[in-house]
Amino acid sequence: MATRQSPIDYEALVKNDRIHGRVYTDPDIFEEEMTTIFHRGWVYVGHAGEIPQPGDFRVTRIGRQSVIMVRDDAGQVRLLMNRCPHRANAVCQTERGNASAFRCAYHGWTFRRNGELASVPYQDGYDASFRKEDFGLRRVPRVDSYRGFVFGSLSPAGMTLDEHLGQAKEQIDLFVEQSPQGEIKVRSGIHKYGYAANWKFQIENAMDGYHPNFVHQAFLRAIQKRTGIKVDTFSGNSIGLTRDFGNGNVMLDYRPNNKANREKMMSLLPTTAGGSDYEESLVAAYGKERAEEILIAGGTHLLVFPNLILIGVQIRVVQPLSIDQTEVFLYPTLLEGVPHELNLKRLRGHEAFYGPAGSGAPDDLEMFERNQIGLSAEVDPWLLIARGLHRERREPDGTLVGHMTDEVTQRGIWRHWKKLMTHAAGAATQPRRASGGA
Ligand code: FES
Ligand code: FE
């Protein structure tokens, strides 16, 4: 694999135990991230559950490039570049909706739901060599999906989506199988927020088990007051693990056995409206053991590099805008085949932590912006990601794990980021045991 020629020395900026602040502040690095990560590798675009009917569409972006995700007449999900092949007008201006066709406003070229060019006004202005087949909306070169999660790659070649996801697929299974029918609905609206800081702060923070006891102290205390349950998931010797699957895919893993915690969680179900019915339907669909795993860890807590996060009930999508401006979209999901009360509970719980007046997410955003301010003080430009480096270990399945508060997840993200930025995309990053400091 050829090494790209770049004036930026990424080896010098990303070490096993620290990273240079320039990775969050240099606009040239942002440009290379767009080219190398977002315009080449697999990027999450949307969920098929957002566009259930033929003609349903939404407009989004892969990196900087405008894309229409649409369900065509045959029921297939298409990713079409939102650019008229005539003179490059964006053919769709609406964020989402249902369209019988896409008609370019500039000179009236009209495209079918599958992107084919249907009609050209005054076509006799072109000679006989003009073929409508040649001028459909261009398709995203590679499209693939896993359990309804649709990804696109603007590169015609590279690793498959299956290779990119690797063992993270099992976490996506857990997320989807919270529904006894294995189907999620993504039609409950979107929380959108923006912040004035680098996009990587969001993906690092979402997989950070060190901060909640501090940033979210008020929330954890409120939970304790209301339920009597002391949430100690994030203490130094907690029940969970940080886990690195490789390829930048990392998670906070709550599955490791902790009998007391499991019993507490299971005991809540019979007292939750619809809870017993739900438990029974999961057991009927997946068996007792799997049902229990889904109940304890079904929400998962996963990053699929670079822009998809699954936490609890939500799909979260990170959209970098510039080196210090980021947009984030949170889609709370509903489950097919569960009591109405349970879906309501999912929505209310989501709002309580993540909503504009929620007790959690706004505090994280404040941290990102303080990070960006802190980076302006450059006497010592390094950020430390060494926590737990001495005690991380490899599990038999090849993943690297550490304590819940260790920075295994941050190191996993940066290891893959460096690999992509240093080399042409396509090579998988295995979670190697880090061998020490800089
Ligand atoms: Fe679309 Fe001319 S730019 S029809
Ligand atoms: Fe947080």
Side-chain angles (χ1 to χ4, degrees):
M1 191 74 61
T3 301
R4 267 190 319 105
Q5 294 303 308
S6 165
I8 300 166
D9 182 358
Y10 290 104
E11 288 289 346
L13 296 175
V14 179
K15 309 289 185 184
N16 289 333
D17 64 344
R18 74 195 72 172
I19 47 179
H20 194 286
R22 194 180 153 197
V23 298
Y24 301 104
T25 59
D26 185 338
D28 290 341
I29 290 181
F30 182 82
E31 292 305 316
E32 294 203 359
E33 287 178 330
M34 286 295 105
T35 308
T36 304
I37 296 174
F38 283 87
H39 295 167
R40 190 173 296 161
W42 288 104
V43 174
Y44 174 71
V45 177
H47 193 276
E50 294 175 69
I51 50 168
Q53 302 300 326
D56 284 352
F57 72 87
R58 50 164 305 215
V59 172
T60 180
R61 271 175 294 177
I62 297 180
R64 288 213 167 107
Q65 305 196 23
S66 185
V67 167
I68 307 167
M69 181 173 83
V70 57
R71 193 175 289 275
D72 71 15
D73 292 328
Q76 192 177 340
V77 175
R78 304 274 188 178
L79 297 186
L80 308 172
M81 303 309 293
N82 188 15
R83 169 189 169 128
C84 180
H86 178 221
R87 297 251 290 277
N89 225 241
V91 298
C92 188
Q93 314 304 314
T94 317
E95 190 179 322
R96 62 187 60 241
N98 184 279
S100 54
F102 297 101
R103 183 170 180 273
C104 180
Y106 203 176
H107 311 95
W109 287 26
T110 302
F111 305 87
R112 297 191 180 93
R113 289 162 163 173
N114 64 5
E116 291 170 357
L117 178 57
S119 67
V120 173
Y122 321 127
Q123 195 180 324
D124 57 358
Y126 295 97
D127 68 17
S129 69
F130 182 89
R131 290 163 22 101
K132 284 201 291 224
E133 301 91 293
D134 295 336
F135 293 100
L137 293 174
R138 302 312 187 211
R139 291 178 177 157
V140 170
R142 289 191 299 157
V143 182
D144 203 351
S145 68
Y146 184 73
R147 301 208 71 165
F149 291 83
V150 180
F151 295 79
S153 164
L154 294 175
S155 166
M159 71 164 69
T160 64
L161 178 64
D162 195 63
E163 289 166 336
H164 175 57
L165 295 177
Q167 293 175 72
K169 283 188 297 186
E170 293 165 21
Q171 294 305 311
I172 297 176
D173 292 340
L174 269 172
F175 189 83
V176 173
E177 289 173 12
Q178 290 178 100
S179 156
Q181 296 175 7
E183 295 283 342
I184 56 174
K185 287 189 275 195
V186 193
R187 307 277 282 175
S188 325
I190 312 170
H191 276 133
K192 301 175 182 175
Y193 58 78
Y195 61 85
N198 190 261
W199 66 279
K200 298 184 289 297
F201 285 128
Q202 171 67 97
I203 63 170
E204 289 185 279
N205 164 269
M207 299 297 126
D208 181 315
Y210 195 13
H211 80 281
N213 278 338
F214 311 101
V215 175
H216 306 307
Q217 196 175 74
F219 179 76
L220 298 179
R221 282 197 185 136
I223 293 275
Q224 186 173 356
K225 206 169 161 190
R226 196 180 298 171
T227 65
I229 297 174
K230 180 166 173 17
V231 183
D232 58 359
T233 310
F234 298 98
S235 71
N237 296 302
S238 69
I239 59 162
L241 297 171
T242 39
R243 187 181 296 277
D244 175 10
F245 291 111
N247 290 345
N249 304 328
V250 296
M251 74 175 297
L252 302 182
D253 193 340
Y254 301 98
R255 290 171 301 171
N257 286 338
N258 179 306
K259 207 164 178 300
N261 186 63
R262 182 165 58 197
E263 281 167 4
K264 266 182 210 162
M265 293 179 78
M266 300 300 281
S267 71
L268 286 178
L269 266 185
T271 59
T272 303
S276 296
D277 290 348
Y278 177 51
E279 186 177 356
E280 279 168 25
S281 65
L282 284 181
V283 171
Y286 303 114
K288 190 160 175 34
E289 203 176 315
R290 177 66 168 171
E292 193 170 311
E293 187 181 12
I294 292 165
L295 287 168
I296 294 168
T300 193
H301 201 118
L302 172 75
L303 166 71
V304 176
F305 188 90
N307 69 329
L308 170 65
I309 294 165
L310 302 181
I311 297 180
V313 310
Q314 86 180 241
I315 298 170
R316 188 183 309 188
V317 185
V318 182
Q319 177 67 58
L321 297 180
S322 68
I323 187 70
D324 58 2
Q325 293 290 335
T326 305
E327 277 179 350
V328 184
F329 303 89
L330 272 54
Y331 301 78
T333 62
L334 302 182
L335 305 176
E336 291 282 6
V338 309
H340 177 65
E341 300 88 331
L342 217 80
N343 272 329
L344 271 185
K345 198 175 164 67
R346 284 168 71 89
L347 284 180
R348 297 295 93 84
H350 172 85
E351 290 156 3
F353 193 82
Y354 295 102
S359 322
D363 298 340
D364 286 316
L365 298 187
E366 182 62 25
M367 294 304 108
F368 307 160
E369 298 200 349
R370 291 185 192 186
N371 262 121
Q372 207 72 25
I373 293 167
L375 288 168
S376 66
E378 293 180 320
V379 170
D380 175 359
W382 294 94
L383 294 84
L384 199 60
I385 52 168
R387 188 175 167 81
L389 194 52
H390 63 291
R391 60 185 180 185
E392 65 183 17
R393 64 181 193 280
R394 190 190 299 279
E395 300 244 294
D397 65 3
T399 60
L400 263 188
V401 297
H403 287 193
M404 182 57 94
T405 62
D406 287 351
E407 285 158 344
V408 171
T409 40
Q410 285 71 34
R411 289 192 290 276
I413 291 168
W414 283 109
R415 188 180 297 116
H416 188 61
W417 185 91
K418 181 166 77 169
K419 180 138 192 162
L420 292 179
M421 298 297 278
T422 309
H423 298 93
T429 318
Q430 291 310 312
R432 284 194 302 272
R433 172 84 165 81
S435 57

